[in-house]
Amino acid sequence: MAKEFSFRKKKRFSSQVLHRIALYLGGCLAAALLGAVLVAVFGYTATNVGVSMESSLVHGQQVLVNRAAYLIFSPRRGDVVIFKAGGTHTYIKRIVAVPGDTVQILNGYLYVNGEQESGDYEKMADAGLLADEITLGEDEYIVLGDNRNNSEDSRASSVGIVEKSQISGKVWLALSYNGSRMKTL
């Protein structure tokens, strides 16, 4: 007996396949929504103004700031932070000294706890407030721009010693100037 071939068979999606597709799309939507909420609550974008952080950041470059970074842990030496000093002005600088450190600029070079800072930083023309040795108290930080001779930082009386309460967050990602590349700081 010959088998009949039917060319008129209709393919139907089973309810299981439709259910799986709906679950997948719902999961994607939930993940996107959660991501947006986390960024809104714990992070924000800021714009670097000026040349004080060159070559790490250029004028006009966008950065992502982690607001939650210092809720549990304290800022560390080398962190790039965003903070307010002098009332309303917002700065982006690098932490070079943390609570308990002694800091001084001698002959144009930064000394932390008696040791000269390592790194490819040019000799500073002005020691400012850091010409005399300073010992940092609890929740006090010294910040400097990476472009040391073109930076308004802890050497200036308008900034001075930065307290932890002034720090808004940690800069953790820098978008390229044209928005096409990113780099972590």
Side-chain angles (χ1 to χ4, degrees):
M1 211 184 239
K3 286 188 174 182
E4 257 184 60
F5 290 102
S6 173
F7 294 103
R8 296 182 189 237
K9 267 190 174 175
K10 292 184 180 179
K11 289 189 177 184
R12 292 187 175 173
F13 284 110
S14 71
S15 61
Q16 271 188 332
V17 171
L18 290 175
H19 182 70
R20 285 184 180 169
I21 291 172
L23 282 176
Y24 176 76
L25 292 175
C28 290
L29 182 63
L33 184 62
L34 178 63
V37 168
L38 288 175
V39 168
V41 172
F42 296 114
Y44 64 97
T45 61
T47 303
N48 181 54
V49 178
V51 297
S52 69
M53 284 301 292
E54 285 184 354
S55 64
S56 299
L57 299 171
V58 297
H59 174 70
Q61 189 169 13
Q62 293 280 311
V63 295
L64 295 179
V65 180
N66 181 349
R67 274 191 256 226
Y70 302 130
L71 293 177
I72 298 172
F73 302 105
S74 293
R76 296 180 299 172
R77 190 179 295 114
D79 286 356
V80 176
V81 296
I82 188 166
F83 63 96
K84 287 196 181 224
T88 59
H89 193 77
T90 301
Y91 295 88
I92 298 175
K93 304 291 179 203
R94 187 175 305 279
I95 293 177
V96 296
V98 296
D101 285 347
T102 57
V103 184
Q104 186 174 19
I105 295 177
L106 289 171
N107 301 318
Y109 297 100
L110 176 68
Y111 288 83
V112 178
N113 299 324
E115 294 186 27
Q116 184 176 333
E117 176 188 40
S118 61
D120 293 330
Y121 297 108
E122 61 187 64
K123 186 175 180 179
M124 290 175 269
D126 182 22
L129 298 175
L130 300 179
D132 296 321
E133 185 176 85
I134 296 173
T135 300
L136 296 175
E138 188 176 335
D139 292 331
E140 292 182 336
Y141 299 87
I142 296 293
V143 295
L144 295 177
D146 288 352
N147 186 359
R148 302 283 166 86
N149 284 315
N150 291 302
S151 178
E152 182 181 6
D153 48 38
S154 286
R155 296 171 290 167
S157 60
S158 58
V159 176
I161 295 172
V162 176
E163 296 179 9
K164 186 176 181 182
S165 62
Q166 294 174 279
I167 298 173
S168 304
K170 178 180 181 179
V171 175
W172 64 277
L173 190 66
L175 305 174
S176 76
Y177 191 68
N178 63 10
S180 61
R181 293 177 314 184
M182 295 182 274
K183 71 175 182 179
T184 56
L185 293 177

